[in-house]
Amino acid sequence: MCVDALIARMSHAREPLALGMLLQTSNTVRRPRMNQTSEHNWAGNYRYTAPIVHPSNVEQVQLLVAGATGVRALGSRHSFNAIADSAGTLVALDGLDDNIVIDSAALTVAVSAGTTYGTLAVELQRRGFALHNLASLPHISVAGAIATGTHGSGDRNGSLATAVSALEIVTGSGELLRVDRDSTPDFAGMVVALGALGIVTRVTLDIEPSFAVQQFVYENLPWSAVLQNFDAVTGSAYSVSLFTNWHGDTVDQAWVKSRDGDFSAGAAFFGGSAATAGRHPLPGISAINCTEQLGVAGAWSERLAHFRLALTPSNGDELQSEYHVPREHAVAAIEAMRALSLRITPLVLVSEIRSIAADDLWLSSTYGRAGVALHFTWKPEQAAVEALLPVIEAALAPFLVRPHWGKLFQADAAALAPVYPRFDDFRALADRFDPTGKFRNAFLERTVFGR
Ligand SMILES: Cc1cc2nc3c(=O)[nH]c(=O)nc-3n(C[C@H](O)[C@H](O)[C@H](O)COP(=O)(O)OP(=O)(O)OC[C@H]3O[C@@H](n4cnc5c(N)ncnc54)[C@H](O)[C@@H]3O)c2cc1C
C-alpha cells in the first residue's frame, strides 16, 4: 500500500499504526506525529485538504516522499492561498530539531528548514551575529519564507532568499540532495521554488556581525512630497516602509529603520511629523505588538521586523495581497492605486509600500530588477477582495507586475510567464527534480505549470 493510501486510511479509519508499520523499514525511523483533523492556514481563509504529518527526522521525510504519489512541504502556514496544499500529504518540519550551526569564519548559519526566523534571530543575536533583513513578522519558517520570495524593506536589501547559500532537499525519489550557490548549476532556480522541487530539510544562510537598529515613525506625509522625492524617501535609511489606506492627500505613516545611525532623525520627514508615541500600522490598534520605536536603539533581531515574536502580528483577522513593480515604475504604479482608492479604501485595513534590491533568483519578484512592493492588508472579505484583484492587476499590468507567491492574486501561468524571463527554465528544473509531479498541486498548475 502506498503512503497516500495509508495516510488516507489513518485519517478516516483512525489507524495510527499504519504509517508506523511502513516506516519500520529503517531502524532509525519512527512513526511521525500526525494530525487527524483537517487544519487551516494562519489567516483561517484556507483549509488544507491534505492530512499533515510531523516527521521527527530527515529519514522519515525521505521515506514519506519516496512512497508518496502526492506530497508537499508545509511551513508555518502564513500564506494566504492554496500554494502549500497537496492532493496527497503535507509534511511539516516543526518536529525536527532546529540544529542551528554557526560557522563564524565562513559567516554562515545552517538551520533546520522548519525553524522560524524568530527562533533563529534570537540565537544569532545571542552569539553576536545577524541576518541582513527580516520580514514584517518573525513567526514564519525559514524554508516557507524563502520558497515564496518573502522580503522586508530597503533599497540595498535583497529578499530573505538572497541570503541562501546552500539547501538540502529531499527530491521526488526520496534522495537527499545538497545544492549550493558556488558549485551547483541552476542553484538560482532552486531557492524561490514554491515547494515544487521537493522538501527542503536544511538551509544555510549568509550572516554578518550583529548590528543595532533604531526605529522612527513619522505621520501624515503629503503624497506630493513623497512622490516627488520617492528615491530619497526609500533611500533615507537602511529600511523604509510607507503605510497608507490610499485615501486623501497624505501617507499615514513612514517607518524608518536606521542601521548604525545611518539616518539623522529630526522632527519632520518629507513633510510628516515625528510620532510622539509608539504606533501600530493599523489605526486604532495598540503598538504593544510592535517592535520598539521612538529611536530607542536595539538589536537588529528586535527592530527589523515590525511585529514582536511573542505577540500576534498585523491584525490577525485579515487577508493579504502584494504586487511588485520595477523600481522605475513605482511612482506611476502608486498613482494607479491612488486612482482606484474609491474601490480599494473601503476594503483595505492598511497598505505598505517597500523597496527591495534586485536578485538573480528565477522566480523571485525582484529577479533582474530592483522592485517596489505594494502590499494590501485586506479586511477578511474574500469574495469582495477576489473581485477587486483583477482590477488592481489590470491597472498594474503595464508595469510588468509580479504578485507575491504566498498572498492572494488572480494571475495565471499564461499571465505570469511573460514577466519571468526564467519561467520555462524553472518548469524544466521542476521536471528534473520531480518527474512524476508528486510535488505539484492545483495552485501550481494554475500559476506555473499550466500553459
Ligand atoms: C501577518 C503576516 C505578515 C506577513 N509579512 C510578510 C512580509 O513582511 N513580507 C513578505 O514577503 N511576506 C509576508 N507574509 C507572507 C509570508 O511571509 C509568506 O506567505 C511565507 O511563505 C510564509 O512562510 P510559511 O512558513 O508560513 O510558509 P507556508 O505558507 O506554510 O508555505 C508557503 C510555501 O512554502 C513551501 N514550503 C514550506 N516549507 C517548505 C520546505 N521545507 N521545503 C520546500 N518548500 C516549503 C510550501 O510548500 C508552500 O509552497 C506575511 C504573512 C502574514 C500572515
Side-chain angles (χ1 to χ4, degrees):
M1 186 179 291
C2 72
V3 172
D4 292 340
L6 280 169
I7 287 174
R9 267 181 62 195
M10 287 170 65
S11 308
H12 300 303
R14 299 185 187 280
E15 293 176 335
L17 285 179
L19 190 59
M21 286 158 55
L22 177 94
L23 294 174
Q24 279 166 10
T25 50
S26 160
N27 289 337
T28 60
V29 177
R30 286 177 296 125
R31 177 167 53 87
R33 184 161 55 85
M34 176 172 171
N35 294 16
Q36 298 287 325
T37 53
S38 74
E39 296 182 49
H40 57 75
N41 64 348
W42 175 86
N45 71 313
Y46 187 81
R47 187 165 284 280
Y48 302 109
T49 58
I52 302 169
V53 291
H54 300 264
S56 52
N57 58 44
V58 173
E59 290 83 356
Q60 286 185 348
V61 178
Q62 290 180 264
L63 278 168
L64 275 162
V65 170
T69 52
V71 62
R72 281 178 64 75
L74 181 65
S76 58
R77 313 178 190 193
H78 284 83
S79 293
F80 292 84
N81 55 33
I83 188 170
D85 210 352
S86 167
T89 305
L90 280 172
V91 177
L93 300 183
D94 49 2
L96 272 64
D97 288 342
D98 295 323
N99 192 11
I100 298 172
V101 178
I102 295 172
D103 182 334
S104 52
L107 282 179
T108 61
V109 61
V111 60
S112 183
T115 301
T116 66
Y117 273 98
T119 298
L120 177 61
V122 167
E123 178 61 8
L124 285 173
Q125 171 59 17
R126 193 181 71 79
R127 303 271 303 273
F129 294 98
L131 298 166
H132 77 286
N133 209 359
L134 292 171
S136 70
L137 76 176
H139 309 63
I140 48 179
S141 79
V142 172
I146 65 175
T148 60
T150 290
H151 60 92
S153 191
D155 285 2
R156 291 183 301 281
N157 294 328
S159 78
L160 305 187
T162 60
V164 177
S165 65
L167 297 169
E168 292 179 21
I169 310 176
V170 176
T171 65
S173 64
E175 176 196 9
L176 182 64
L177 189 68
R178 187 178 194 282
V179 295
D180 68 74
R181 190 165 52 198
D182 295 332
S183 67
T184 308
D186 297 340
F187 181 75
M190 300 171 191
V191 185
V192 182
L194 319 180
L197 304 185
I199 297 186
V200 175
T201 54
R202 198 156 174 80
V203 182
T204 305
L205 301 168
D206 299 333
I207 56 173
E208 53 193 281
S210 177
F211 55 89
V213 173
Q214 291 170 278
Q215 187 162 230
F216 304 89
V217 174
Y218 293 87
E219 298 178 289
N220 302 318
L221 294 72
W223 269 116
S224 55
V226 169
L227 296 181
Q228 279 162 28
N229 302 283
F230 191 72
D231 289 347
V233 170
T234 65
S236 61
Y238 190 67
S239 166
V240 175
S241 291
L242 302 172
F243 290 97
T244 177
N245 69 3
W246 303 105
H247 174 72
D249 297 329
T250 57
V251 175
D252 300 331
Q253 296 177 12
W255 286 36
V256 180
K257 298 177 196 265
S258 165
R259 175 174 176 169
D260 297 328
D262 68 353
F263 174 73
S264 300
F269 180 66
F270 294 95
S273 48
T276 52
R279 292 283 184 263
H280 192 287
L282 285 153
I285 299 190
S286 158
I288 193 84
N289 292 14
C290 297
T291 50
E292 191 156 354
Q293 303 161 24
L294 299 169
V296 179
W300 66 278
S301 52
E302 296 179 1
R303 297 290 183 280
L304 287 179
H306 300 334
F307 303 107
R308 295 179 197 265
L309 177 62
L311 299 168
T312 302
S314 195
N315 185 46
D317 194 10
E318 65 193 57
L319 302 169
Q320 294 187 10
S321 303
E322 190 166 36
Y323 294 102
H324 295 242
V325 296
R327 172 135 204 136
E328 63 270 25
H329 297 315
V331 171
I334 290 168
E335 293 287 26
M337 294 301 95
R338 292 187 70 206
L340 286 173
S341 68
L342 284 179
R343 303 280 308 268
I344 295 174
T345 304
L347 263 184
V348 82
L349 290 167
V350 73
S351 270
E352 181 176 9
I353 300 171
R354 291 178 277 189
S355 60
I356 306 129
D359 60 59
D360 67 347
L361 306 173
W362 299 357
L363 289 192
S364 163
S365 56
T366 35
Y367 173 84
R369 66 190 206 194
V372 168
L374 310 178
H375 160 89
F376 301 82
T377 298
W378 301 111
K379 294 175 183 172
E381 298 174 22
Q382 186 138 352
V385 168
E386 286 179 346
L388 184 55
L389 295 183
V391 178
I392 291 176
E393 291 177 25
L396 296 176
F399 312 120
L400 305 176
V401 63
R402 296 171 181 163
H404 191 306
W405 292 107
K407 303 184 182 181
L408 295 176
F409 64 92
Q410 186 254 357
D412 60 12
L416 295 174
V419 295
Y420 286 93
R422 304 298 300 268
F423 217 62
D424 281 338
D425 293 329
F426 181 79
R427 289 162 161 162
L429 188 65
D431 285 342
R432 287 205 327 260
F433 271 69
D434 179 27
T436 63
K438 64 175 67 174
F439 296 121
R440 298 194 186 180
N441 62 10
F443 176 91
L444 291 180
E445 291 300 337
R446 174 175 76 82
T447 60
V448 179
F449 297 109
R451 312 259 167 179

